[in-house]
């Protein structure tokens, strides 16, 4: 509901809540609710900025993880709107709710299976789980630790998290396969067609590079804008035709869409070699 009062409003009343407890009583208890006894907390535990809520957060995570995860798992940021005072409050300009608490979440089909509250730089994330992967890669690896082993999940994330080291680590650690968008400055000088050159080509054009050493595929695709993707299991083909609206022609046209957009499992090396004519190795030291 948009606000707590709505659960007791006449037109929006939720009987499962309103019948159990009155609104004023609920507010009084909420104002005095504690999850941790301050006298039993050590100085080491207080280094966690969320120590007062930690028992409840752990209980909530355990409850979420009782639900069996789907094959496709998406990792992204979650904003919990909050405008009060807090050391861990964040501002994110591009989010609908710009002020609040930032969470890292692993979800599938709208359900959150695991999460971690961002407490600021250098806190809350164990970067030793993913050495050399940076903060984004460490977040992915930490959230994937709670997945059942040896079930070969498909992990998806945006360009904040993606890099070569993390994608390879997801596959090699037995978690599954990885696909995500990736920033242009993280492709290690891979010989993809440049962004400027891609924008001069027709809509649906693409450029593909396969790294045989790491078994990673990079695909750059031009739709409304250029997007670069990395995948450990999917590539360009087979291409699929999709409809897009062309403003200059004022009609719908068909454009090619690479399979990595759909996250399909492919024999990408063979297909790229036979059809794209642009299978090359990214330098081993890159």
């Amino acid at each position: 509901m948009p606000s707590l009062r709505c659960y007791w409003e006449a037109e929006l009343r939720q009987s499962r809540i309103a019948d159990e407890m009155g609104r004023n009583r609920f507010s009084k208890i909420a104002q005095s609710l504690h999850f941790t006894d301050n006298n039993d907390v050590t100085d080491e535990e207080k280094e966690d900025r969320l120590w007062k809520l930690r028992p409840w957060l752990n209980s909530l995570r355990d409850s979420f993880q009782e639900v069996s995860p789907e094959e496709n798992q998406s990792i992204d940021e979650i904003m919990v709107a909050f405008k009060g005072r807090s050391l861990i409050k964040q501002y994110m300009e591009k989010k609908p709710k710009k002020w609040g608490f930032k969470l890292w979440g692993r979800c599938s089909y709208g359900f959150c299976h695991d999460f971690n509250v961002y407490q600021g730089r250098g806190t809350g994330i164990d970067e030793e789980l993913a050495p050399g992967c940076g903060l984004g890669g460490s977040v992915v690896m930490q959230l994937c630790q709670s997945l059942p082993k040896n079930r070969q999940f498909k992990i998806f994330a945006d360009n904040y998290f993606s890099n070569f080291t993390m994608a390879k680590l997801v596959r090699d650690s037995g978690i599954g396969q990885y696909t995500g968008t990736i920033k242009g400055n993280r492709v290690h000088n891979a010989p993809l067609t440049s962004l400027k050159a891609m924008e001069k080509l027709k809509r649906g054009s693409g450029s593909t590079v396969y790294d045989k050493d790491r078994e990673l595929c990079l695909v750059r695709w031009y739709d409304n804008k250029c997007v670069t993707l990395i995948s450990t299991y999917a590539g360009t083909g087979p291409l699929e035709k999709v409809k897009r609206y062309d403003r200059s022609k004022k009609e719908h046209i068909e454009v090619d869409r690479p399979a990595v957009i759909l996250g399909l499992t492919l024999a990408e090396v063979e297909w790229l070699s036979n059809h794209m004519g642009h299978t090359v190795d990214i330098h081993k030291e890159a």
Side-chain angles (χ1 to χ4, degrees):
M1 304 295 284
S3 69
L4 284 174
R5 297 179 65 90
C6 293
Y7 291 94
W8 289 271
E9 295 285 351
E11 295 180 356
L12 303 173
R13 192 175 189 275
Q14 300 293 315
S15 59
R16 286 186 299 173
I17 294 173
D19 290 350
E20 296 297 326
M21 186 181 299
R23 185 192 66 195
N24 292 341
R25 177 172 171 75
F26 178 88
S27 298
K28 274 291 184 184
I29 293 176
Q31 290 172 7
S32 307
L33 192 60
H34 285 259
F35 298 99
T36 303
D37 188 339
N38 295 355
N39 297 320
D40 294 338
V41 181
T42 64
D43 291 337
E44 185 178 351
E45 289 175 325
K46 287 184 179 181
E47 292 179 4
D48 177 9
R49 292 179 177 176
L50 293 168
W51 62 270
K52 288 190 175 183
L53 292 175
R54 185 56 62 187
W56 175 71
L57 290 172
N58 290 340
S59 176
L60 188 61
R61 288 184 64 238
D62 292 341
S63 296
F64 287 167
Q65 290 169 31
E66 289 179 5
V67 178
S68 180
E70 301 286 344
E71 178 186 13
N72 297 326
Q73 296 287 309
S74 174
I75 293 176
D76 204 355
E77 299 160 330
I78 303 171
M79 285 296 288
V80 178
F82 179 73
K83 291 187 177 180
R85 293 183 178 181
S86 174
L87 287 173
I88 63 173
K89 185 176 69 173
Q90 300 288 316
Y91 175 76
M92 300 189 69
E93 183 180 4
K94 295 183 180 180
K95 295 291 185 182
K97 302 293 185 181
K98 303 183 188 308
W99 287 100
F101 302 121
K102 182 167 80 171
L103 280 63
W104 312 113
R106 175 173 59 77
C107 308
S108 63
Y109 302 101
F111 182 85
C112 181
H113 291 279
D114 198 1
F115 68 92
N116 194 354
V117 183
Y118 180 62
Q119 302 181 41
R121 179 177 250 176
T123 60
I125 298 296
D126 183 6
E127 297 194 20
E128 293 183 2
L129 286 172
C133 293
L135 176 61
S138 299
V139 168
V140 172
M141 293 305 299
Q142 184 160 326
L143 291 175
C144 288
Q145 293 304 302
S146 55
L147 283 170
K149 305 302 180 185
N150 302 317
R151 277 193 38 189
Q152 289 300 303
F153 291 93
K154 294 176 182 175
I155 310 299
F156 301 88
D158 63 23
N159 59 16
Y160 180 85
F161 304 90
S162 298
N163 58 66
F164 281 24
T165 306
M166 182 272 292
K168 185 176 184 298
L169 191 57
V170 168
R171 184 192 61 227
D172 294 348
S173 61
I175 294 170
Q177 303 293 344
Y178 180 81
T179 298
T181 54
I182 188 169
K183 295 180 179 180
N185 60 0
R186 294 182 182 176
V187 299
H188 303 293
N189 299 316
L192 291 164
T193 305
S194 68
L195 296 176
K196 289 185 178 180
M198 286 288 290
E199 292 173 354
K200 296 178 182 179
L201 301 176
K202 67 176 183 178
R203 196 170 181 180
S205 299
S207 175
T208 306
V209 169
Y210 182 73
D211 181 356
K212 292 181 180 178
D213 292 326
R214 299 184 181 89
E215 297 181 3
L216 301 175
C217 189
L218 288 171
V219 178
R220 180 164 285 167
W221 180 51
Y222 178 49
D223 189 16
N224 287 324
K225 295 181 179 180
C226 280
V227 60
T228 307
L229 301 104
I230 182 174
S231 180
T232 60
Y233 73 102
T236 302
L239 294 171
E240 182 188 34
K241 296 290 185 180
V242 292
K243 287 188 176 182
R244 293 290 189 269
Y245 185 76
D246 190 321
R247 291 183 179 179
S248 61
K249 297 180 179 180
K250 295 185 178 179
E251 62 181 17
H252 286 87
I253 60 173
E254 287 190 339
V255 301
D256 292 330
R257 179 171 66 179
V260 69
I261 301 295
L262 297 175
L264 299 178
T265 302
L266 305 170
E268 63 266 11
V269 182
E270 180 180 354
W271 197 94
L272 290 171
S273 300
N274 295 337
H275 295 77
M276 293 298 292
H278 191 194
T279 302
V280 297
D281 293 345
I282 300 174
H283 197 327
K284 201 168 186 179
E285 283 76 25

